[in-house]
């Protein structure tokens, strides 16, 4: 097959629609949604964690309880980006499948659609609209990276909440691992790291949240990553049960129960031979 310029406009020759470099960039963007490359969670998990952070003055979706006075975290920009990401990835998965109907269709979730696309690099390179596919997916993944605002190598230490001119400081605290104290970047107030994190965990325990929020909070507040399969096992075995539904009809669970199960799960001793 005669070579032609890559459809992205990068100038590199290719026998397909995408050159090897642009295809690699596309696949890397999709893979980054699923894993950090070192066996850890990817950008999708980080985005769910960011969704659990407080940036408004009212409780976010998926949170039920007496939280109006001191709402738990919710991030509007992350919510919008999550919707755009889901729409972009699942739409392109359907488009690729429409061009290859002999393949089994991808499952409905964003993660499943991304994993399905990652496994088809040859078909991505040949897609008739490969320039749009590459552009939209790499841009939305870059957008996810921008909205994930957790400072690197720091732990979340809760809200500042210090009194400032009759109001409460709305900023959030991020401490270096092992640090005993952290200073608010907005008002300069110093806080005890352990005290703030314990307050946040105790406060969250009385709230009822959806599964997505619960898993995000477990990672954000407890630094514990609970696999979705473990969560599903807890639900099927009745170790955690719904306590009503949120405004969208989704089941909600008491975070205090989730906290206890998460701590017990990760502290189990490993049996070695």
């Amino acid at each position: 097959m005669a070579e032609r310029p890559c459809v992205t406009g990068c100038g590199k020759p290719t026998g397909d629609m995408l050159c090897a470099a642009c295809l690699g960039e596309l696949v890397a963007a999709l893979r980054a949604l699923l894993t950090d490359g070192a066996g850890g969670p990817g950008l999708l998990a980080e985005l769910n964690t960011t969704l659990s952070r407080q940036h408004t003055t009212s409780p976010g979706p998926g949170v039920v309880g007496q939280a109006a006075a001191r709402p738990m975290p919710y991030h509007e920009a992350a919510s919008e980006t999550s919707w755009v990401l889901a729409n972009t990835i699942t739409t392109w998965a359907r488009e690729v499948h429409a061009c290859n109907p002999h393949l089994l269709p991808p499952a409905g979730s964003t993660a499943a659609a991304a994993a399905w696309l990652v496994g088809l690099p040859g078909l991505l390179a040949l897609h008739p609209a490969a320039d749009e596919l590459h552009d939209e997916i790499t841009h939305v993944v870059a957008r996810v990276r921008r909205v994930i605002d957790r400072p690197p190598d720091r732990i979340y230490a809760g809200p500042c909440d210090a009194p400032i001119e009759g109001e409460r400081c709305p900023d959030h605290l991020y401490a270096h691992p092992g640090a005993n104290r952290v200073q608010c970047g907005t008002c300069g107030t110093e806080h005890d790291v352990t005290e703030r994190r314990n307050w946040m965990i105790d406060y969250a325990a009385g709230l009822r949240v959806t599964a997505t929020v619960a898993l995000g909070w477990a990672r954000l507040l407890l630094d514990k990553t609970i696999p979705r399969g473990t969560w599903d096992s807890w639900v099927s075995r009745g170790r955690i049960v719904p306590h009503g539904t949120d405004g969208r009809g989704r089941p909600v669970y008491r975070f205090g129960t989730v906290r206890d199960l998460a701590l017990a799960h990760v502290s189990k001793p490993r049996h070695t031979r």
Side-chain angles (χ1 to χ4, degrees):
M1 181 182 295
E3 290 191 336
R4 55 188 170 187
C6 176
V7 293
T8 66
C10 72
K12 295 184 177 68
T14 178
D16 300 322
M17 300 293 281
L18 294 176
C19 69
C22 289
L23 176 61
E25 183 183 23
L26 172 61
V27 172
L30 288 165
R31 188 172 288 118
L33 294 173
L34 307 171
T35 176
D36 65 359
L43 296 175
L44 274 169
E46 290 286 350
L47 185 58
N48 284 334
T49 298
T50 302
L51 273 166
S52 301
R53 299 203 182 122
Q54 178 178 353
H55 282 259
T56 67
T57 56
S58 59
V63 182
V64 178
Q66 302 299 319
R70 293 177 179 269
M72 285 298 289
Y74 175 63
H75 195 306
E76 287 183 339
S79 179
E80 180 184 358
T81 300
S82 179
W83 182 89
V84 173
L85 174 67
N87 185 64
T88 301
I89 299 299
T90 56
T91 295
W92 277 111
R94 289 194 298 270
E95 288 289 330
V96 172
H97 181 257
C99 293
N100 301 275
H102 60 287
L103 298 175
L104 289 174
S109 71
T110 305
W116 187 81
L117 290 169
V118 164
L120 302 170
L123 297 182
L124 300 183
L126 288 168
H127 194 279
D131 53 341
E132 296 176 36
L133 187 157
H134 174 275
D135 179 70
E136 291 186 11
I137 289 181
T138 56
H139 275 78
V140 76
V141 172
R143 180 174 175 178
V144 171
R145 291 185 188 278
R146 288 193 298 271
V147 84
I148 293 171
D149 55 7
R150 182 177 182 178
D153 302 321
R154 296 195 183 188
I155 60 172
Y156 183 58
C160 174
D161 206 36
I164 305 176
E165 298 179 355
E167 298 184 354
R168 293 283 179 175
C169 178
D171 205 355
H172 288 255
L173 308 170
Y174 296 90
H176 291 286
N180 294 320
R181 299 191 67 78
V182 60
Q183 184 176 47
C184 176
T186 296
C187 70
T189 302
E190 282 200 356
H191 300 268
D192 181 274
V193 173
T194 301
E195 179 183 305
R196 295 310 297 163
R197 283 179 66 83
N198 287 343
W199 177 90
M200 197 76 169
I201 293 167
D202 290 343
Y203 177 74
L207 300 179
R208 290 170 288 138
V209 298
T210 61
T212 298
V213 172
L215 294 174
W217 284 6
R219 187 159 181 251
L220 177 68
L221 303 178
L222 306 172
D223 291 324
K224 309 299 183 186
T225 299
I226 305 301
R228 188 59 191 240
T230 298
W231 174 273
D232 292 340
S233 174
W234 289 345
V235 173
S236 66
R237 289 155 49 198
R239 299 194 67 188
I240 183 169
V241 296
H243 289 271
T245 58
D246 68 358
R248 299 180 184 177
R250 298 172 298 184
V252 290
Y253 306 85
R254 183 176 172 273
F255 184 71
T257 304
V258 178
R259 173 200 60 191
D260 296 343
L261 287 171
L263 293 174
H265 171 74
V266 297
S267 64
K268 284 182 180 177
R270 295 181 179 274
H271 298 287
T272 56
R273 295 178 180 229

